[in-house]
Amino acid sequence: MFNLKPKPFSGGVHPKGYKELTQQQDISKDFVPDRVYLGMQQRNGSMLNSLVAVGDTVVKGQLIARGSNDMTVPLHSPVNGTVVDIKPYLSSHPSGIKSQTLVIANNGTKNWGIDYPPSDYQKLSHEQIVERVLEAGIVGLGGAGFPTGIKLRLARKSKVHTLLINGGECEPYLTCDDRLMREQAAEIIAGIKVMAKAIGATNSIIAIEDNKPEAINAIKQASDGISGISLKIVPSLYPMGSERHLIKAVTGIAIGPGQLSTAQGILVHNVATAKAVYQAVRYQRPLIERVITVSGDAIEAPANITVPIGSLVSQVIAECGGLKAEAKRMIAGGPMMGQVLPSPFVPIDKSVGGLLALSEEQINQRQSQDCVRCGNCVKVCPMGLMPFQMATHSNNDDWQGAQEFGLDSCLLCGACSYICPSSIPLVQYFQHAKSNINAQRSMMQKSNLARQLTEARQQRLAREAAAKKAAKAAKRKRPARSRSTQGES
């Protein structure tokens, strides 16, 4: 059968979805971990300062850690209980690095510590809305983890006119956004209205892939008759969830490499973020939990589940019936762009939307062969790059050569690795190359900073020496004038 529909952008792949494992199950809200582990280091490397101590009683929603600026989102307790430890503990970073972590024992009650009365967002100024979002500690729940309040504030300054809501969820296995749109469409629409007011947008578009008919109907009903909000159905194609490709599919506008979408008057947010914004502005409730998909052929009972932030991966898997087969690979996120977890005992942070446990059979790891120059990776690259050329240079530690072939524009979407008949781990090469380039840039920045500090010190010492010299010269002249004055008298 031929597909006569035009592709919304060049490249892309159609990986097997595996969404049937969870897409027909309601979101479970019964999970209650006995302890939560809240890391004090955020994804961007910034650190939080604890506002509580071991032995303190904390309530659900209480502010327990804060950073030095708005780029470091505050942390709130996801449970009612007691702080039992503050210690270095595993983070979800693939390296398995440890960071300072608050451990809270849950007393099992679910009530909020402070239950604010609902407020009317129409009576709030745009800056008051932004402040509530910042205070709630909301980050982009699509995976980027950028502070949502900062994004809204910058969008208003850029005079954004269109708010584009991402309901694509193109990664295999993941269905949490699909279920959220089906079950909580009204809250998502309310969150969109709040964000549109905050940034001054006159047009809001919700984009959903055509493989989610129930979600499409739910959003259509919830937004029916609301001025300024429309629905756009886009074809199922990976990586449709990429910001620049969703914009191209919905508006036809191409966002160039290195360019921000706000420069074109468009701001993109995820459906789950819209719901979190509604909760923050309407009820002043912070982001302390999120819906994630727990799936994969090694999971006994795959599900979509509401998880308090800081729950351990092992706790969540146990809630889903445990493992029915040995998990050869555990992934935070989807299989295309997710990160391999170093341990089942790492906590889930705000950016994790999926948890996969895959057996050896599912991984189907084949031996990598030499490149056969088939060109398939070029055909599917959504950025129009030449992955096989970038891989050749990356594999030879020639970072500059890889950059000349567009490494900086690579999304690390994994479409090239997926299609490669030689099973070359292309995206791993690119991740390695980007890590090295970032390390070199960091070293260069540190070197430049050290040089600037040295030069500034030398200039300061020179100024001080000159001042001392001038002071001595002035002192030598002063007695002469004084003697002269005495003689005249």
Side-chain angles (χ1 to χ4, degrees), residues 86-172:
I86 302 176
K87 62 180 181 180
Y89 191 78
L90 282 174
S91 70
S92 57
H93 192 274
S95 66
I97 192 172
K98 290 184 177 181
S99 66
Q100 198 71 357
T101 300
L102 284 170
V103 185
I104 301 176
N106 186 3
N107 67 18
T109 58
K110 288 188 172 182
N111 57 296
W112 286 85
I114 302 174
D115 206 2
Y116 291 100
S119 57
D120 183 358
Y121 81 94
Q122 291 286 8
K123 296 178 180 176
L124 301 174
S125 69
H126 63 86
E127 188 55 31
Q128 286 174 316
I129 293 174
V130 169
E131 284 297 327
R132 286 197 179 186
V133 174
L134 287 170
E135 285 299 313
I138 299 175
V139 298
L141 298 181
F146 193 84
T148 300
I150 298 288
K151 206 169 171 181
L152 293 176
R153 184 176 283 160
L154 294 175
R156 187 170 186 91
K157 286 182 180 176
S158 301
K159 302 187 185 305
V160 161
H161 50 72
T162 298
L163 175 62
L164 178 54
I165 299 298
N166 187 350
E169 199 170 44
C170 56
E171 276 265 11

Coordinates of all heavy atoms in Angstrom, one line a residue, residues 86-172:
I86 N 20.6 12.8 55.1 CA 21.1 13.6 54.0 C 22.5 13.1 53.7 O 23.4 13.2 54.5 CB 21.1 15.1 54.4 CG1 19.7 15.6 54.9 CG2 21.7 16.0 53.3 CD1 19.7 17.0 55.4
K87 N 22.6 12.5 52.5 CA 23.9 11.8 52.3 C 24.1 11.7 50.7 O 23.1 11.9 50.0 CB 23.8 10.4 52.8 CG 22.7 9.5 52.2 CD 22.6 8.1 52.7 CE 21.5 7.3 52.1 NZ 21.4 5.9 52.6
P88 N 25.3 11.4 50.3 CA 25.6 11.2 48.9 C 24.8 9.9 48.5 O 24.9 8.9 49.2 CB 27.1 11.0 48.8 CG 27.6 11.6 50.1 CD 26.6 11.4 51.1
Y89 N 24.1 10.0 47.3 CA 23.4 8.8 46.8 C 23.4 8.8 45.3 O 23.6 9.9 44.7 CB 21.9 8.9 47.4 CG 21.2 7.6 47.2 CD1 21.4 6.5 48.0 CD2 20.3 7.5 46.1 CE1 20.7 5.3 47.7 CE2 19.6 6.3 45.9 CZ 19.8 5.2 46.7 OH 19.2 4.0 46.5
L90 N 23.1 7.7 44.7 CA 23.1 7.5 43.3 C 22.2 8.5 42.6 O 21.0 8.7 43.1 CB 22.7 6.1 42.9 CG 23.7 5.0 43.0 CD1 23.1 3.7 42.7 CD2 24.9 5.2 42.1
S91 N 22.6 9.1 41.5 CA 21.7 9.9 40.6 C 21.4 9.0 39.4 O 21.9 8.0 39.2 CB 22.4 11.2 40.2 OG 23.4 10.9 39.3
S92 N 20.4 9.5 38.6 CA 20.0 8.8 37.4 C 21.0 9.0 36.2 O 20.7 8.5 35.1 CB 18.6 9.2 37.0 OG 18.5 10.6 36.8
H93 N 22.1 9.8 36.4 CA 23.1 10.0 35.4 C 23.7 8.7 35.0 O 24.0 7.8 35.8 CB 24.2 10.9 35.9 CG 25.0 11.5 34.8 ND1 26.1 10.8 34.3 CD2 25.0 12.6 34.0 CE1 26.7 11.4 33.3 NE2 26.0 12.6 33.2
P94 N 23.9 8.4 33.6 CA 24.4 7.1 33.2 C 25.7 6.7 33.8 O 26.1 5.5 33.9 CB 24.6 7.3 31.7 CG 23.7 8.4 31.3 CD 23.6 9.3 32.5
S95 N 26.5 7.7 34.3 CA 27.8 7.4 34.9 C 27.6 6.8 36.3 O 28.6 6.3 36.9 CB 28.7 8.7 35.0 OG 28.1 9.6 35.9
G96 N 26.4 6.9 36.9 CA 26.2 6.4 38.2 C 26.8 7.4 39.3 O 27.0 6.9 40.4
I97 N 27.0 8.6 38.9 CA 27.6 9.6 39.9 C 26.7 9.8 41.0 O 25.5 9.7 40.9 CB 27.9 10.9 39.1 CG1 28.8 11.8 40.0 CG2 26.6 11.6 38.7 CD1 29.3 13.0 39.3
K98 N 27.3 10.0 42.2 CA 26.5 10.3 43.4 C 26.4 11.8 43.6 O 27.3 12.6 43.3 CB 27.1 9.6 44.6 CG 27.0 8.1 44.6 CD 27.6 7.5 45.9 CE 27.5 6.0 45.9 NZ 28.0 5.4 47.1
S99 N 25.2 12.2 44.2 CA 25.1 13.6 44.6 C 24.4 13.6 46.0 O 23.7 12.7 46.4 CB 24.2 14.3 43.6 OG 22.9 13.8 43.6
Q100 N 24.5 14.8 46.7 CA 23.9 14.9 48.0 C 22.4 14.8 47.8 O 21.8 15.4 47.0 CB 24.3 16.3 48.5 CG 24.1 16.4 50.0 CD 25.1 15.6 50.8 OE1 26.0 14.9 50.3 NE2 25.1 15.7 52.1
T101 N 21.8 13.9 48.7 CA 20.4 13.6 48.5 C 19.7 13.6 49.9 O 20.2 13.2 50.9 CB 20.3 12.1 48.0 OG1 21.0 12.1 46.7 CG2 18.9 11.7 47.8
L102 N 18.5 14.2 49.8 CA 17.6 14.2 51.0 C 16.8 12.9 51.0 O 16.1 12.6 50.0 CB 16.6 15.4 50.9 CG 17.1 16.7 51.3 CD1 16.1 17.8 50.9 CD2 17.4 16.8 52.8
V103 N 16.7 12.2 52.1 CA 15.9 10.9 52.2 C 14.8 11.2 53.2 O 15.0 11.6 54.3 CB 16.8 9.7 52.7 CG1 15.9 8.5 52.7 CG2 18.0 9.6 51.8
I104 N 13.5 11.0 52.7 CA 12.4 11.3 53.5 C 11.6 10.0 53.6 O 11.2 9.3 52.6 CB 11.5 12.4 52.8 CG1 12.3 13.7 52.7 CG2 10.2 12.6 53.7 CD1 11.5 14.8 52.0
A105 N 11.3 9.6 54.9 CA 10.4 8.4 55.2 C 9.0 8.9 55.1 O 8.6 9.9 55.7 CB 10.7 7.9 56.5
N106 N 8.2 8.2 54.3 CA 6.8 8.5 54.0 C 5.9 7.9 55.1 O 6.0 6.7 55.5 CB 6.4 8.0 52.7 CG 5.0 8.4 52.2 OD1 4.3 9.2 52.9 ND2 4.6 7.9 51.1
N107 N 5.0 8.8 55.7 CA 4.1 8.3 56.8 C 2.8 7.7 56.2 O 1.9 7.2 56.9 CB 3.8 9.3 57.8 CG 3.0 10.5 57.3 OD1 2.4 10.4 56.2 ND2 3.0 11.6 58.0
G108 N 2.7 7.7 54.9 CA 1.6 7.1 54.2 C 0.3 7.9 54.0 O -0.6 7.5 53.2
T109 N 0.2 9.1 54.6 CA -0.9 9.9 54.4 C -0.8 10.7 53.1 O 0.4 11.0 52.7 CB -1.1 10.9 55.5 OG1 0.0 11.7 55.7 CG2 -1.4 10.2 56.8
K110 N -1.9 11.1 52.4 CA -1.8 11.7 51.1 C -2.2 13.1 51.0 O -2.2 13.8 50.0 CB -2.6 10.9 50.0 CG -2.0 9.5 49.7 CD -2.8 8.9 48.6 CE -2.1 7.6 48.0 NZ -2.8 7.1 46.9
N111 N -2.7 13.7 52.1 CA -3.2 15.0 52.1 C -2.1 16.1 51.9 O -1.0 15.9 52.3 CB -4.0 15.3 53.4 CG -3.0 15.1 54.6 OD1 -2.6 14.0 54.9 ND2 -2.7 16.2 55.3
W112 N -2.5 17.2 51.3 CA -1.5 18.3 51.1 C -1.3 19.0 52.4 O -2.2 19.1 53.2 CB -2.0 19.3 50.1 CG -1.9 18.8 48.7 CD1 -2.9 18.0 48.0 CD2 -0.9 19.0 47.7 NE1 -2.5 17.7 46.8 CE2 -1.2 18.3 46.5 CE3 0.3 19.7 47.8 CZ2 -0.4 18.3 45.4 CZ3 1.1 19.7 46.6 CH2 0.8 19.0 45.5
G113 N 0.0 19.5 52.6 CA 0.3 20.2 53.9 C -0.5 21.5 54.0 O -1.0 21.9 55.0
I114 N -0.6 22.2 52.9 CA -1.4 23.5 52.8 C -2.3 23.4 51.6 O -1.9 23.1 50.5 CB -0.4 24.7 52.6 CG1 0.6 24.8 53.7 CG2 -1.3 26.0 52.5 CD1 1.6 25.9 53.5
D115 N -3.6 23.5 51.9 CA -4.6 23.4 50.8 C -5.1 24.8 50.5 O -6.0 25.3 51.2 CB -5.7 22.5 51.3 CG -6.4 21.8 50.1 OD1 -6.0 22.1 48.9 OD2 -7.4 21.1 50.3
Y116 N -4.5 25.4 49.5 CA -4.9 26.8 49.1 C -6.3 26.7 48.4 O -6.6 25.8 47.6 CB -3.9 27.4 48.1 CG -2.6 27.7 48.8 CD1 -1.5 26.8 48.6 CD2 -2.4 28.8 49.5 CE1 -0.3 27.1 49.2 CE2 -1.2 29.1 50.1 CZ -0.1 28.3 50.0 OH 1.1 28.5 50.6
P117 N -7.1 27.7 48.6 CA -8.4 27.8 47.8 C -8.1 28.1 46.4 O -7.1 28.8 46.0 CB -9.1 29.0 48.5 CG -8.1 29.8 49.1 CD -7.0 28.9 49.5
P118 N -8.9 27.6 45.4 CA -8.7 27.9 44.0 C -8.7 29.4 43.7 O -9.5 30.1 44.3 CB -9.9 27.2 43.3 CG -10.4 26.2 44.4 CD -10.1 26.8 45.7
S119 N -7.8 29.8 42.8 CA -7.8 31.2 42.5 C -8.0 31.3 41.0 O -7.8 30.4 40.2 CB -6.4 31.8 42.8 OG -5.4 31.0 42.2
D120 N -8.5 32.5 40.6 CA -8.9 32.8 39.2 C -7.7 33.4 38.5 O -7.2 34.5 38.8 CB -10.1 33.8 39.2 CG -10.5 34.1 37.8 OD1 -9.9 33.5 36.8 OD2 -11.5 34.8 37.6
Y121 N -7.1 32.7 37.5 CA -5.9 33.1 36.8 C -6.2 34.4 36.1 O -5.2 35.2 35.8 CB -5.4 32.0 35.9 CG -6.1 32.0 34.6 CD1 -5.6 32.6 33.5 CD2 -7.3 31.2 34.4 CE1 -6.2 32.5 32.2 CE2 -7.9 31.1 33.2 CZ -7.4 31.8 32.1 OH -8.0 31.7 30.9
Q122 N -7.4 34.7 35.7 CA -7.7 35.9 35.0 C -7.4 37.2 35.8 O -7.3 38.2 35.3 CB -9.2 35.9 34.6 CG -9.6 34.9 33.5 CD -9.0 35.3 32.1 OE1 -8.3 36.2 32.0 NE2 -9.4 34.5 31.1
K123 N -7.4 37.0 37.2 CA -7.2 38.1 38.0 C -5.7 38.3 38.3 O -5.3 39.3 39.0 CB -8.0 38.0 39.3 CG -9.5 38.0 39.2 CD -10.2 37.8 40.5 CE -11.7 37.8 40.3 NZ -12.4 37.4 41.6
L124 N -4.9 37.4 37.8 CA -3.4 37.5 38.0 C -2.8 38.2 36.8 O -3.2 38.0 35.7 CB -2.8 36.1 38.2 CG -3.4 35.3 39.4 CD1 -2.8 33.9 39.3 CD2 -3.1 35.9 40.7
S125 N -1.7 38.9 37.1 CA -0.9 39.5 36.0 C -0.1 38.4 35.4 O 0.1 37.4 36.0 CB -0.1 40.7 36.5 OG 1.0 40.1 37.4
H126 N 0.5 38.7 34.2 CA 1.3 37.7 33.6 C 2.5 37.4 34.4 O 3.0 36.3 34.5 CB 1.8 38.2 32.2 CG 2.6 39.4 32.2 ND1 3.9 39.4 32.3 CD2 2.2 40.7 32.0 CE1 4.4 40.6 32.3 NE2 3.4 41.5 32.1
E127 N 3.1 38.4 35.1 CA 4.3 38.2 36.0 C 3.9 37.4 37.2 O 4.7 36.5 37.7 CB 4.9 39.5 36.3 CG 6.3 39.3 37.1 CD 7.3 38.5 36.3 OE1 7.3 38.5 35.1 OE2 8.1 37.8 37.0
Q128 N 2.7 37.6 37.7 CA 2.3 36.8 38.9 C 2.1 35.3 38.5 O 2.4 34.4 39.3 CB 0.9 37.3 39.4 CG 1.0 38.6 40.2 CD -0.3 39.2 40.6 OE1 -1.2 39.2 39.8 NE2 -0.4 39.7 41.8
I129 N 1.6 35.1 37.3 CA 1.5 33.7 36.8 C 2.9 33.1 36.7 O 3.1 31.9 37.2 CB 0.8 33.6 35.4 CG1 -0.7 34.0 35.6 CG2 0.9 32.2 34.8 CD1 -1.4 34.2 34.3
V130 N 3.8 33.8 36.1 CA 5.2 33.3 36.0 C 5.8 33.0 37.4 O 6.5 32.0 37.6 CB 6.1 34.3 35.2 CG1 7.5 33.9 35.3 CG2 5.6 34.4 33.7
E131 N 5.6 33.9 38.3 CA 6.1 33.7 39.7 C 5.6 32.4 40.3 O 6.3 31.7 41.0 CB 5.8 34.9 40.6 CG 6.7 36.1 40.3 CD 8.2 35.9 40.5 OE1 8.5 35.1 41.4 OE2 9.0 36.4 39.8
R132 N 4.3 32.2 40.1 CA 3.7 30.9 40.7 C 4.3 29.7 40.0 O 4.5 28.7 40.7 CB 2.2 30.9 40.5 CG 1.5 31.9 41.5 CD 0.0 31.6 41.6 NE -0.7 32.5 42.5 CZ -1.9 32.4 42.9 NH1 -2.7 31.4 42.4 NH2 -2.4 33.3 43.7
V133 N 4.5 29.8 38.7 CA 5.1 28.6 38.0 C 6.6 28.4 38.5 O 7.0 27.3 38.8 CB 5.1 28.9 36.5 CG1 5.9 27.8 35.8 CG2 3.7 28.9 36.0
L134 N 7.3 29.5 38.7 CA 8.7 29.4 39.2 C 8.7 28.8 40.6 O 9.5 27.9 41.0 CB 9.4 30.7 39.2 CG 9.8 31.3 37.8 CD1 10.2 32.7 37.9 CD2 10.9 30.4 37.2
E135 N 7.8 29.3 41.5 CA 7.8 28.8 42.9 C 7.4 27.4 43.0 O 7.7 26.7 43.9 CB 6.8 29.7 43.7 CG 7.3 31.1 44.0 CD 8.6 31.0 44.9 OE1 8.6 30.2 45.9 OE2 9.6 31.7 44.6
A136 N 6.6 26.9 42.0 CA 6.1 25.5 42.0 C 7.2 24.5 41.5 O 7.0 23.3 41.5 CB 4.9 25.4 41.1
G137 N 8.4 25.1 41.0 CA 9.4 24.2 40.6 C 9.2 23.4 39.4 O 9.6 22.2 39.2
I138 N 8.4 24.0 38.4 CA 8.0 23.2 37.2 C 9.1 23.3 36.2 O 9.6 24.4 35.9 CB 6.7 23.8 36.6 CG1 5.6 23.6 37.7 CG2 6.3 23.0 35.4 CD1 4.2 24.2 37.3
V139 N 9.4 22.2 35.6 CA 10.4 22.1 34.4 C 9.6 21.5 33.3 O 8.5 20.9 33.5 CB 11.6 21.3 34.8 CG1 12.4 21.9 35.9 CG2 11.3 19.9 35.1
G140 N 10.1 21.6 32.1 CA 9.5 20.9 30.9 C 9.4 19.4 31.1 O 10.5 18.8 31.3
L141 N 8.2 18.9 31.1 CA 8.1 17.5 31.3 C 8.2 16.6 30.1 O 8.0 15.4 30.1 CB 6.7 17.2 32.0 CG 6.5 17.9 33.4 CD1 5.2 17.6 34.0 CD2 7.7 17.5 34.3
G142 N 8.5 17.2 29.0 CA 8.8 16.5 27.8 C 10.2 15.8 27.8 O 10.5 15.0 26.9
G143 N 11.0 16.2 28.7 CA 12.3 15.6 28.8 C 13.5 16.6 28.9 O 14.5 16.2 29.4
A144 N 13.2 17.8 28.4 CA 14.3 18.8 28.4 C 14.7 19.3 29.8 O 15.9 19.5 30.1 CB 13.9 20.0 27.5
G145 N 13.7 19.4 30.6 CA 14.0 19.8 32.0 C 14.3 21.3 32.2 O 14.8 21.6 33.3
F146 N 14.0 22.1 31.2 CA 14.3 23.6 31.4 C 13.2 24.2 32.2 O 12.1 23.9 32.1 CB 14.3 24.2 30.0 CG 14.9 25.6 30.0 CD1 16.3 25.8 29.9 CD2 14.1 26.7 30.1 CE1 16.8 27.1 29.9 CE2 14.6 28.0 30.1 CZ 16.0 28.2 30.0
P147 N 13.6 25.1 33.1 CA 12.6 25.8 34.0 C 11.5 26.4 33.2 O 11.7 27.3 32.4 CB 13.4 26.8 34.8 CG 14.8 26.3 34.8 CD 15.0 25.6 33.5
T148 N 10.2 26.0 33.4 CA 9.1 26.5 32.6 C 8.9 28.0 32.8 O 8.5 28.7 31.9 CB 7.8 25.7 33.0 OG1 8.1 24.3 32.7 CG2 6.6 26.1 32.2
G149 N 9.0 28.5 34.1 CA 8.8 29.9 34.3 C 9.7 30.8 33.6 O 9.3 31.8 33.0
I150 N 11.0 30.4 33.5 CA 11.9 31.1 32.7 C 11.5 31.1 31.2 O 11.6 32.2 30.5 CB 13.4 30.5 32.8 CG1 13.8 30.6 34.3 CG2 14.3 31.2 31.9 CD1 14.2 31.9 34.8
K151 N 11.1 30.0 30.7 CA 10.7 29.9 29.3 C 9.5 30.8 29.0 O 9.5 31.5 28.0 CB 10.3 28.4 29.0 CG 10.5 28.0 27.6 CD 10.3 26.5 27.5 CE 10.3 26.0 26.1 NZ 10.1 24.6 25.9
L152 N 8.5 30.8 29.9 CA 7.4 31.7 29.8 C 7.8 33.2 29.8 O 7.3 34.0 28.9 CB 6.3 31.5 30.9 CG 5.7 30.1 30.9 CD1 4.8 29.9 32.1 CD2 4.9 29.8 29.6
R153 N 8.7 33.5 30.7 CA 9.1 35.0 30.8 C 9.8 35.4 29.5 O 9.6 36.5 29.0 CB 10.0 35.1 32.0 CG 10.4 36.5 32.3 CD 11.2 36.6 33.6 NE 10.4 36.5 34.7 CZ 10.8 36.2 36.0 NH1 12.1 35.9 36.1 NH2 10.0 36.2 37.0
L154 N 10.7 34.5 29.0 CA 11.5 34.9 27.8 C 10.6 34.9 26.6 O 10.8 35.8 25.7 CB 12.6 33.8 27.6 CG 13.7 33.8 28.6 CD1 14.7 32.7 28.3 CD2 14.5 35.1 28.7
A155 N 9.6 34.1 26.6 CA 8.6 34.1 25.4 C 7.8 35.4 25.4 O 7.6 35.9 24.3 CB 7.7 32.9 25.6
R156 N 7.5 35.9 26.5 CA 6.7 37.2 26.6 C 7.6 38.3 26.1 O 7.2 39.2 25.3 CB 6.2 37.5 27.9 CG 5.3 38.7 28.0 CD 4.5 38.9 29.2 NE 3.6 40.0 29.1 CZ 2.3 39.9 28.7 NH1 1.9 38.7 28.5 NH2 1.5 40.9 28.6
K157 N 8.9 38.3 26.5 CA 9.8 39.3 26.1 C 10.0 39.3 24.6 O 10.3 40.3 23.9 CB 11.2 39.2 26.8 CG 11.1 39.6 28.2 CD 12.5 39.5 28.9 CE 12.5 39.9 30.3 NZ 13.8 39.7 31.0
S158 N 10.0 38.0 24.0 CA 10.2 37.8 22.6 C 8.9 38.1 21.8 O 8.9 37.9 20.5 CB 10.7 36.4 22.3 OG 11.9 36.2 23.0
K159 N 7.8 38.5 22.5 CA 6.5 38.7 21.8 C 6.0 37.5 21.0 O 5.6 37.6 19.8 CB 6.6 40.0 20.9 CG 7.0 41.2 21.6 CD 7.0 42.5 20.8 CE 7.5 43.7 21.5 NZ 6.9 43.9 22.8
V160 N 6.0 36.4 21.7 CA 5.5 35.1 21.0 C 4.0 35.3 20.8 O 3.3 35.7 21.7 CB 5.8 33.9 22.0 CG1 5.0 32.7 21.6 CG2 7.3 33.5 21.8
H161 N 3.6 34.8 19.6 CA 2.2 34.9 19.3 C 1.5 33.6 19.3 O 0.2 33.5 19.3 CB 2.0 35.6 17.9 CG 2.8 35.0 16.9 ND1 2.6 33.8 16.3 CD2 3.9 35.5 16.2 CE1 3.5 33.5 15.4 NE2 4.3 34.6 15.3
T162 N 2.3 32.5 19.2 CA 1.7 31.1 19.1 C 2.2 30.2 20.1 O 3.5 30.1 20.2 CB 1.9 30.6 17.7 OG1 1.3 31.4 16.7 CG2 1.3 29.1 17.6
L163 N 1.3 29.6 20.9 CA 1.7 28.5 21.8 C 1.4 27.2 21.2 O 0.3 26.9 20.9 CB 1.0 28.7 23.1 CG 1.2 27.6 24.2 CD1 2.6 27.6 24.7 CD2 0.2 27.9 25.4
L164 N 2.4 26.4 21.0 CA 2.3 25.0 20.4 C 2.4 24.0 21.4 O 3.5 23.9 22.1 CB 3.3 24.9 19.3 CG 3.3 23.5 18.5 CD1 1.9 23.2 17.9 CD2 4.4 23.6 17.4
I165 N 1.4 23.2 21.6 CA 1.4 22.1 22.6 C 1.7 20.8 22.0 O 1.0 20.3 21.1 CB 0.1 22.1 23.4 CG1 -0.2 23.4 24.1 CG2 0.1 21.0 24.4 CD1 0.8 23.8 25.1
N166 N 2.8 20.1 22.5 CA 3.3 18.9 21.9 C 2.5 17.7 22.6 O 2.8 17.3 23.7 CB 4.8 18.8 22.2 CG 5.4 17.6 21.5 OD1 4.7 16.8 21.0 ND2 6.7 17.6 21.5
G167 N 1.7 17.1 21.8 CA 1.0 15.8 22.2 C 1.5 14.7 21.3 O 0.7 13.7 21.1
G168 N 2.6 14.8 20.7 CA 3.1 13.8 19.7 C 3.4 12.5 20.3 O 2.9 11.5 19.9
E169 N 4.3 12.5 21.3 CA 4.7 11.3 22.0 C 5.1 10.2 21.0 O 4.5 9.1 20.9 CB 3.7 10.7 22.9 CG 4.2 9.8 24.0 CD 3.2 9.4 25.1 OE1 2.1 9.2 24.7 OE2 3.5 9.4 26.2
C170 N 6.2 10.5 20.2 CA 6.5 9.6 19.1 C 7.5 8.5 19.5 O 7.7 7.5 18.7 CB 7.2 10.4 18.0 SG 8.7 11.4 18.6
E171 N 8.0 8.5 20.7 CA 8.9 7.4 21.2 C 8.1 6.1 21.3 O 7.0 6.1 21.9 CB 9.5 7.8 22.5 CG 10.8 8.7 22.4 CD 12.1 7.9 22.4 OE1 12.0 6.7 22.3 OE2 13.2 8.5 22.5
P172 N 8.7 5.0 20.9 CA 8.1 3.7 21.2 C 7.8 3.5 22.7 O 8.5 4.0 23.5 CB 9.1 2.7 20.6 CG 9.8 3.5 19.6 CD 9.9 4.9 20.1

